[in-house]
Amino acid sequence: MTRSRPLLLLIGALVGAGIVLAANAVLSYDGRKQIDLAGWAESRDAWDREMMPGARWATDELCTDDLPCSQAVTSDTLTMYRFADHADAVAAARRFAGEAYKSGWIVVRFEPGALDREDRQAFVGVLDCINVGITEDGVEC
């Protein structure tokens, strides 16, 4: 019986560690990391087209070593950038200060004067609620 006790303790420790890792993964999951900007580049939705007239892919021209985004979609009213690294999204939002909004791994840079305050809030409200139940600010979607 004394031989099996260390084995049981080891198994218990491994199970406990697995539970902690699983709980951490669930609590730290943010579905916005998985958002693909393709939906905005070629959207057929009237609201999307109204908010982003002339939307098109711009990854090749906008994502550079200096701005390491993985995707970019631009339009007459705003540009959306998706980053693989959250720290890069934070840096880009600071870089575009005053005309930018960060939602997880995505930064929206608004064209000055193209959308009024209500339209900007409506747009980021929709963006904030994609793939999540509660936004970074604690708003339920």
Side-chain angles (χ1 to χ4, degrees), residues 25-135:
V26 168
L27 293 175
S28 65
Y29 173 77
D30 189 332
R32 287 169 294 174
K33 186 175 184 178
Q34 307 305 321
I35 294 173
D36 183 359
L37 298 186
W40 282 278
E42 301 165 6
S43 179
R44 298 184 194 278
D45 182 79
W47 187 83
D48 289 352
R49 287 194 317 263
E50 179 182 336
M51 291 300 220
M52 295 181 67
R56 64 179 177 78
W57 278 109
T59 305
D60 292 342
E61 66 188 84
L62 297 177
C63 298
T64 64
D65 290 341
D66 187 45
L67 187 64
C69 49
S70 57
Q71 292 183 323
V73 174
T74 192
S75 73
D76 299 339
T77 55
L78 60 91
T79 301
M80 297 175 71
Y81 304 86
R82 179 175 179 244
F83 295 88
D85 187 313
H86 191 262
D88 290 333
V90 171
R94 288 182 181 147
R95 176 179 175 176
F96 302 134
E99 297 298 330
Y101 182 85
K102 185 186 80 59
S103 181
W105 286 258
I106 295 177
V107 174
V108 179
R109 184 185 50 81
F110 293 100
E111 292 297 327
L115 291 175
D116 62 27
R117 185 178 204 189
E118 290 80 24
D119 285 339
R120 287 181 180 201
Q121 288 177 336
F123 187 84
V124 299
V126 168
L127 178 61
D128 279 348
C129 285
I130 295 174
N131 296 347
V132 297
I134 298 176
T135 67

